[in-house]
Amino acid sequence: MRLTYTADLWWKNAVVYCLDVETYKDGNGDGIGDFRGLTQQIDHLDRLGVTCIWLMPFFPSPSRDDGYDISDFYSVDPRLGTLGDFVEFMRTARDRGMRVIADLVVNHTSDEHPWFKEARSSRDSPKRDWYVWQDEPGPVDPKAIVFPDKEDSLWELDKKTGQYYYHSFYKFQPDLNTANPQVRDEIARILGFWMELGLSGFRVDAVPFLIEGIGGDPHEFLADLRAFMNRRDGSSILLGEVNLPYPDLMRFFGDAGNGDEVTMCFDFIAMQRFHLSMARQNPEALAEALRDRPEPPDDSQWAMFVRNHDELTLDKLTEAQKHEVFDAFGPDKNMQLYDRGLRRRLPPMLGGDMRRLKLAYSVLFSLPGTPVLFYGEEIGLGENLKAEGRMAVRVPMQWSAKGGFSPDPKTTVPSPTGKYGPRNVNVEDQRRDPDSLLRWVMLLVERYRESPELAWGAYEILDAGDVAVLAHRADAEGGTVVAVHNFADREAKVDLVLEKLDGCEKLVDLLVDGTLDLPADGRVKFTLEPYGTRWFRASIPDAAPEETSAKSG
């Protein structure tokens, strides 16, 4: 596998790191994170091995929905800096070899956006058709309401004009009419503007909501956006938030052979099955999802994650399965949200058990797809359940034992406390600790990047001889990597049969020093400690490590 070829499709084996500028690092001492602070900490991401930074919304906003209620798509929120600060950040990221993508939130605007103010000024406004209006509210399926604790309808009366406008989310976020050609042209201009400033793509927020319920063809719209981006920069991407069953989700990759809509899609099904498997200490639910998952188009990819910036949604599990996860990882009502997910980060969910945390991230980096980390996962950042809703997981990054997020002690962003407070969880201390979670994640990133089979190869779920063990192999152009994970709090006896490895006599361990002999019949037996993990590369005799890697990619 030629490096020049894999580099062209950089997203296939990228390491994506999602962060919120507001909670990452305060660079001017006002208690709010900003682009200056982020730029000063960019070497942390470089050392970690991040290849792509995903920025949550940083645009001007009333911040009634943590920046997802945007009032200007062409600027930077003054609290976070200026366009000049953004450009300096982009230059520094490019200097470190990192690409940057940003949230594309175009299914709605803030009700304080000038477009909506003009649209609601009169029924005859030129911007009226930029939003969705009706004389009477349409019928509403209660299950379609995204935030049932705050909203009871998808329609809101505008008293001045006497019509109702449509909002998929909060009432202060009126939906754009993306079936309107003028709106589509404006969205393309927004993409073009930020691409000229260096962005390599966009994470598309809530893709199924783009035109859902109001007409038009979302697939035509996405194909048009992708074609526009390819004309401007053929290496740019769209990363889609598409939480749908696999058959419905696959349509958003597009119909062309190499995919002509969304470049990457998050795998919500595998993520939810992963947490169910962790709760059961049995990986079969995850294995079943991976067996059922269709192959994306050749130049497309799955985006894998164990946690993100929203609630940990469990909506694709059955009621019984969902409550299994609730009981294991969030039994208190205050830990749950919308009766469909958890508002917790992974370390508190797992009781701070380092063995299980290391297992979780080993699974993430070994599964077929591109790993996506939420900021702070690399150090085991906790949550603050005193914060409202999803904000529980959007806590400040912890850089030192004193916090290190801001010199202003009056910062209003709630931090984790106690066991997960900065004195116990921070970058500075973990960088010096060879047994820390940070060091483990750095190792996983390094080995993942050295093993293109994991991202590019054909994969197969293997019979491991023990119900607690997930074993899979990835094969690409003569190279093979095998990953084995014990989900249980007990030793597991692994019994694998590895076929079609002619000429290979050893399995070289990629995470610890050591090898296993590979007999002619391909049968390998070994013991995994509780929550243990092993990655192996099939090795030909007398091959130096770099030659083995070159053979496989």
Side-chain angles (χ1 to χ4, degrees):
M1 188 172 293
R2 299 188 308 275
L3 184 60
T4 51
Y5 178 59
T6 60
D8 286 345
L9 302 176
W10 61 269
W11 56 89
K12 295 273 279 189
N13 68 333
V15 176
V16 182
Y17 187 95
C18 171
L19 64 87
D20 187 349
V21 177
E22 183 176 352
T23 57
Y24 204 63
K25 176 66 178 179
D26 173 14
N28 63 5
D30 65 355
I32 300 171
D34 48 45
F35 276 105
R36 292 186 181 185
L38 168 58
T39 304
Q40 288 302 116
Q41 295 293 346
I42 205 164
D43 281 340
H44 167 68
L45 302 180
D46 186 34
R47 285 189 293 265
L48 183 59
V50 170
T51 64
C52 178
I53 301 170
W54 156 22
L55 299 175
M56 292 170 62
F58 55 84
F59 313 100
S61 164
S63 289
R64 298 177 69 185
D65 185 21
D66 198 30
Y68 284 87
D69 49 329
I70 295 169
S71 57
D72 181 359
F73 289 100
Y74 290 101
S75 190
V76 173
D77 189 322
R79 299 175 310 134
L80 310 182
T82 65
L83 274 174
D85 294 327
F86 173 82
V87 170
E88 282 298 295
F89 158 71
M90 291 295 300
R91 186 207 65 79
T92 310
R94 185 173 62 248
D95 178 67
R96 294 336 189 250
M98 285 183 278
R99 294 176 181 267
V100 182
I101 64 174
D103 264 321
L104 178 67
V105 187
V106 291
N107 36 34
H108 57 248
T109 69
S110 165
D111 60 2
E112 296 183 29
H113 196 292
W115 300 344
F116 188 68
K117 288 182 177 180
E118 184 176 341
R120 75 191 313 181
S121 65
S122 164
R123 291 195 182 195
D124 299 322
S125 166
K127 290 282 196 300
R128 187 70 173 181
D129 193 44
W130 283 42
Y131 296 86
V132 183
W133 303 88
Q134 288 187 179
D135 290 333
E136 297 294 334
V140 176
D141 179 357
K143 294 181 180 178
I145 297 175
V146 177
F147 302 119
D149 61 330
K150 300 292 185 181
E151 304 291 348
D152 56 12
S153 175
L154 301 178
W155 296 90
E156 182 69 12
L157 177 64
D158 177 57
K159 295 181 180 179
K160 181 176 181 180
T161 59
Q163 282 190 313
Y164 291 81
Y165 64 84
Y166 186 79
H167 58 92
S168 297
F169 297 95
Y170 294 111
K171 62 173 64 75
F172 54 80
Q173 293 170 320
D175 276 32
L176 282 165
N177 178 14
T178 47
N180 183 332
Q182 291 181 328
V183 173
R184 292 189 178 195
D185 288 346
E186 187 64 29
I187 291 172
R189 276 190 285 272
I190 293 167
L191 268 64
F193 175 82
W194 292 105
M195 289 174 70
E196 286 299 311
L197 293 181
L199 288 187
S200 292
F202 303 88
R203 174 259 187 184
V204 190
D205 185 54
V207 173
F209 290 91
L210 278 172
I211 316 182
E212 189 175 82
I214 45 178
D217 183 355
H219 299 287
E220 177 190 345
F221 174 43
L222 288 168
D224 286 348
L225 282 184
R226 181 77 179 277
F228 170 82
M229 292 174 63
N230 285 343
R231 291 195 300 272
R232 294 293 177 93
D233 178 0
S235 67
S236 59
I237 67 164
L238 290 176
L239 170 57
E241 182 188 29
V242 188
N243 182 12
L244 294 173
Y246 287 135
D248 299 322
L249 179 152
M250 290 300 293
R251 297 175 57 212
F252 287 92
F253 280 120
D255 296 327
N258 287 330
D260 62 353
E261 294 183 30
V262 172
T263 321
M264 303 171 65
C265 280
F266 287 104
D267 189 347
F268 281 90
I269 305 297
M271 180 276 292
Q272 296 182 41
R273 297 288 190 86
F274 164 78
H275 287 286
L276 179 61
S277 294
M278 291 288 282
R280 291 176 170 175
Q281 299 199 17
N282 181 320
E284 179 54 32
L286 173 58
E288 181 182 36
L290 294 171
R291 292 189 195 101
D292 292 344
R293 187 173 75 174
E295 286 292 321
D298 289 345
D299 289 351
S300 302
Q301 183 62 297
W302 293 107
M304 308 301 294
F305 65 110
V306 298
R307 199 62 187 89
N308 65 8
H309 59 291
D310 291 329
E311 77 275 8
L312 195 164
T313 183
L314 304 169
D315 65 327
K316 296 299 182 289
L317 301 180
T318 67
E319 278 295 305
Q321 291 170 341
K322 179 183 70 176
H323 284 284
E324 282 187 67
V325 180
F326 280 175
D327 291 345
F329 300 136
D332 297 342
K333 279 293 183 182
N334 187 41
M335 299 172 177
Q336 302 165 16
L337 195 62
Y338 313 133
D339 193 37
R340 65 171 182 251
L342 293 169
R343 60 190 206 103
R344 309 197 72 194
R345 280 181 173 254
L346 194 60
M349 285 170 54
L350 299 179
D353 189 331
M354 186 64 72
R355 301 171 303 167
R356 300 189 79 184
L357 281 169
K358 289 185 174 182
L359 168 72
Y361 292 107
S362 179
V363 172
L364 171 66
F365 279 92
S366 68
L367 289 181
T370 296
V372 181
L373 288 170
F374 185 37
Y375 77 93
E377 283 193 277
E378 72 273 26
I379 60 171
L381 193 63
E383 76 254 355
N384 189 318
L385 293 173
K386 292 182 180 179
E388 183 178 2
R390 303 171 173 191
M391 298 305 294
V393 303
R394 302 178 187 180
V395 294
M397 184 63 172
Q398 294 176 172
W399 297 102
S400 68
K402 294 183 179 180
F405 166 68
S406 173
D408 184 353
K410 299 178 183 178
T411 179
T412 58
V413 187
S415 299
T417 57
K419 181 177 180 180
Y420 300 99
R423 180 172 296 182
N424 298 312
V425 178
N426 66 78
V427 173
E428 187 174 83
D429 290 345
Q430 291 195 25
R431 189 180 295 156
R432 295 193 295 263
D433 180 359
D435 297 321
S436 68
L437 182 61
L438 175 59
R439 288 290 186 179
W440 175 249
V441 174
M442 291 172 69
L443 175 64
L444 293 174
V445 171
E446 183 177 319
R447 295 296 181 260
Y448 164 77
R449 293 285 291 173
E450 292 172 353
S451 305
E453 298 92 342
L454 295 175
W456 288 81
Y459 72 92
E460 177 186 2
I461 304 298
L462 304 173
D463 181 1
D466 190 310
V467 295
V469 176
L470 175 70
H472 70 280
R473 64 182 284 176
D475 299 271
E477 297 191 4
T480 299
V481 171
V482 178
V484 190
H485 294 92
N486 179 10
F487 278 61
D489 187 19
R490 61 168 174 80
E491 284 191 347
K493 302 293 185 181
V494 179
D495 186 350
L496 290 174
V497 177
L498 301 174
E499 300 176 335
K500 298 179 182 179
L501 292 176
D502 296 341
C504 295
E505 296 181 358
K506 292 186 181 297
L507 295 178
V508 179
D509 200 310
L510 299 180
L511 300 180
V512 297
D513 291 334
T515 61
L516 291 177
D517 291 331
L518 184 62
D521 62 2
R523 183 173 292 276
V524 181
K525 297 182 180 182
F526 58 94
T527 300
L528 269 180
E529 66 273 15
Y531 306 123
T533 175
R534 305 286 293 273
W535 292 14
F536 299 105
R537 177 180 293 285
S539 175
I540 59 175
D542 302 320
E546 60 268 19
E547 291 172 350
T548 305
S549 298
K551 178 178 175 64
S552 59

